[in-house]
Amino acid sequence: MDATEPRPTFVPTSYPGILHHYTKDLTAFEFDSPALRSSSSNGNGGGKPNTLLFIAGLGDNLLTVPYVSDLVKTGWSVVQVLISSTANGWGTGTLTRDAKEIALCISYFKIQLSRPKVVVLGHSTGCQDIMHYLCRLEVSQQAHGQLDGAILQAPVSDREALAMMMGKETYERSWKHAQRLVKSGRGGDIMPAQITKEVFEAPCSAFRWYSLTSPNMDGEDDFFSSDIGEDILEGTFGAVVPAGTPLLVCYSGEDEFVPSTVDKEGLVGKWVRVCVRKGVNVDVKNSGVVKKATHNFAGCEGEVFEDFLGRVRRFLKVVEGGGKFGDGGDGTNTTAANATTATTTTITTTTVSGTGGLGGGLVSSKV
């Protein structure tokens, strides 16, 4: 596609690749690509390809995010990970369940399939899954030492997006109703359809709705709201474990789910500043706002997506070389990235156990 042509919203097509059965109940689809067929371009001497695991957002399913297959242009093999929260499953799930399942997928590709490098790329609420994995999931539950980097694409605040979409009165009524249920020990109850149906078709538990919408900064999902101060951010962006995990943040300049009042450049700058101060290995140079980008690049000019793709390529290139970023994000100054992480502020959240079992059985099949 010519760089000046708008990216299509949808084109009917089919994709060859490999379907991986990474747990008893969960699968992941790996797109056919030159990297998958021969990894010589990755400098692995014809061995296993470096692998980019894609985590989609709320309501997304396999291939519903239009740019996923184009990520093969990075030179890495690309896999879309399906978890219990995929499609409509998110409404009765939790970030903890998501993160544990993602850890199993990382281990499958890193250990079972011996992939040299494994990086996760989250889109929208997939970014919350990644942040939860990096800064809240117990180290014993992580694929410890197996994750080589993380990319956040369109890390928007669901709280701010829903308040904008629903209107003040309906939004406030919804989170207060969810709060009452959670406080009374009924966080697993499904929210009334008349409250949620205007924005989501999926049934949603009171816990998950409160997690997404609470204005009290106590929602499990509330990583990216613009009003969160740096003291709280030190317990999220500043608490990535291990701190040496390379991190790239790409915010969409014309994201339709972000209120116009949000200073996007200032917001990303705040996140990066906290990372640097707390010794997190963030790619300062390539993190930032992708100008003219929509939430998932649908309808964007080709050059807009190329901007994002270029940032990802440069990030992955450093990851291939060891993944050390400094203040300039070029892998030369690692003082900030290697600093010891100090004691951080934590966020207290109300928890409700998620559902969904994790099983064994690691199988893959070509489709």
Side-chain angles (χ1 to χ4, degrees):
M1 182 176 67
D2 188 273
T4 61
E5 295 178 3
R7 292 178 58 79
T9 301
F10 173 71
V11 176
T13 189
S14 60
Y15 296 88
I18 298 175
L19 183 65
H20 297 270
H21 198 176
Y22 70 93
T23 78
K24 178 183 176 182
D25 302 313
L26 301 171
T27 59
F29 182 75
E30 185 167 19
F31 294 87
D32 183 41
S33 67
L36 181 59
R37 292 191 295 269
S38 173
S39 61
S40 59
S41 61
N42 291 328
N44 294 324
K48 303 288 186 176
N50 293 324
T51 304
L52 189 61
L53 303 180
F54 179 81
I55 315 297
L58 291 189
D60 280 316
N61 207 334
L62 183 62
L63 296 170
T64 58
V65 178
Y67 71 80
V68 181
S69 61
D70 287 332
L71 290 172
V72 299
K73 297 175 183 177
T74 61
W76 282 39
S77 187
V78 176
V79 178
Q80 181 163 356
V81 181
L82 303 182
I83 55 179
S84 298
S85 291
T86 297
N88 288 337
W90 64 269
T92 53
T94 65
L95 293 183
T96 297
R97 183 185 72 179
D98 293 353
K100 288 179 179 179
E101 292 176 355
I102 291 167
L104 291 174
C105 194
I106 293 169
S107 293
Y108 167 73
F109 280 94
K110 191 76 173 183
I111 304 301
Q112 187 80 4
L113 299 187
S114 302
R115 299 295 172 89
K117 300 287 185 182
V118 174
V119 168
V120 290
L121 189 160
H123 161 70
S124 193
T125 307
C127 297
Q128 282 139 241
D129 287 333
I130 290 174
M131 287 296 292
H132 192 85
Y133 176 93
L134 290 173
C135 68
R136 290 186 185 156
L137 197 66
E138 293 181 13
V139 173
S140 62
Q141 296 172 331
Q142 289 185 354
H144 190 55
Q146 298 166 25
L147 182 62
D148 298 291
I151 301 170
L152 308 181
Q153 188 274 314
V156 304
S157 164
D158 285 299
R159 163 161 64 92
E160 293 176 338
L162 287 168
M164 176 181 67
M165 295 165 64
M166 299 176 72
K168 182 178 180 180
E169 183 178 345
T170 304
Y171 162 72
E172 289 190 354
R173 180 162 55 94
S174 75
W175 75 258
K176 288 178 180 178
H177 180 76
Q179 183 186 54
R180 286 192 295 271
L181 289 174
V182 171
K183 285 186 173 181
S184 64
R186 297 170 57 194
D189 285 12
I190 299 301
M191 290 286 289
Q194 60 265 34
I195 292 179
T196 63
K197 66 181 180 181
E198 292 186 7
V199 287
F200 293 121
E201 294 181 357
C204 187
S205 70
F207 169 77
R208 191 63 194 268
W209 191 263
Y210 186 76
S211 176
L212 291 166
T213 60
S214 171
N216 301 321
M217 300 184 193
D218 57 351
E220 185 182 59
D221 279 87
D222 200 4
F223 286 101
F224 308 123
S225 294
S226 60
D227 57 356
I228 297 177
E230 293 191 17
D231 56 336
I232 294 178
L233 291 174
E234 288 185 358
T236 55
F237 278 93
V240 169
V241 178
T245 304
L247 180 66
L248 173 67
V249 182
C250 294
Y251 206 94
S252 291
E254 295 184 7
D255 197 309
E256 59 270 32
F257 297 108
V258 177
S260 60
T261 54
V262 173
D263 175 5
K264 301 178 182 69
E265 288 82 3
L267 182 59
V268 176
K270 180 168 62 173
W271 297 341
V272 170
R273 185 166 60 249
V274 169
C275 287
V276 171
R277 185 167 68 242
K278 303 304 291 185
V280 174
N281 190 18
V282 64
D283 183 349
V284 178
K285 186 174 182 179
N286 291 299
S287 291
V289 176
V290 181
K291 302 295 184 183
K292 299 183 179 180
T294 57
H295 190 60
N296 63 8
F297 296 100
C300 289
E301 300 291 333
E303 61 190 12
V304 176
F305 181 70
E306 286 299 321
D307 179 0
F308 167 67
L309 203 60
R311 295 169 191 254
V312 174
R313 285 194 190 104
R314 293 188 292 272
F315 174 80
L316 294 178
K317 187 68 175 178
V318 176
V319 170
E320 289 172 4
K324 298 296 183 182
F325 292 94
D327 291 347
D330 56 4
T332 58
N333 177 9
T334 61
T335 302
N338 291 334
T340 302
T341 303
T343 303
T344 56
T345 304
T346 57
I347 301 174
T348 302
T349 58
T350 307
T351 58
V352 174
S353 298
T355 58
L358 304 178
L362 305 176
V363 183
S364 63
S365 57
K366 291 186 178 180
V367 295

